[in-house]
Amino acid sequence: MFLAYIGPETMMPVASVLAAVMGVVMMFGRNVVSFGRGIMERVSPRSRRR
């Protein structure tokens, strides 16, 4: 059971990555969303509008 311990020091890298992603989204939100939509339109045939 000792190996299953999940404490604050093991979750900090995950929180750091999430904070970095949210920071980029907040700084460049509109550009990131439009870039993501453009990629999804190219990749997914269902997202193409007529």
Side-chain angles (χ1 to χ4, degrees):
M1 201 63 181
F2 178 71
L3 295 176
Y5 172 72
I6 298 176
E9 67 276 1
T10 59
M11 294 305 290
M12 284 307 291
V14 175
S16 179
V17 168
L18 290 176
V21 168
M22 288 307 297
V24 169
V25 168
M26 289 187 333
M27 286 191 301
F28 306 106
R30 194 174 289 174
N31 294 334
V32 170
V33 170
S34 66
F35 180 73
R37 283 183 183 163
I39 289 177
M40 288 305 294
E41 286 178 3
R42 291 183 190 144
V43 172
S44 175
R46 280 196 273 165
S47 66
R48 292 185 182 144
R49 294 182 179 152
R50 294 175 191 172

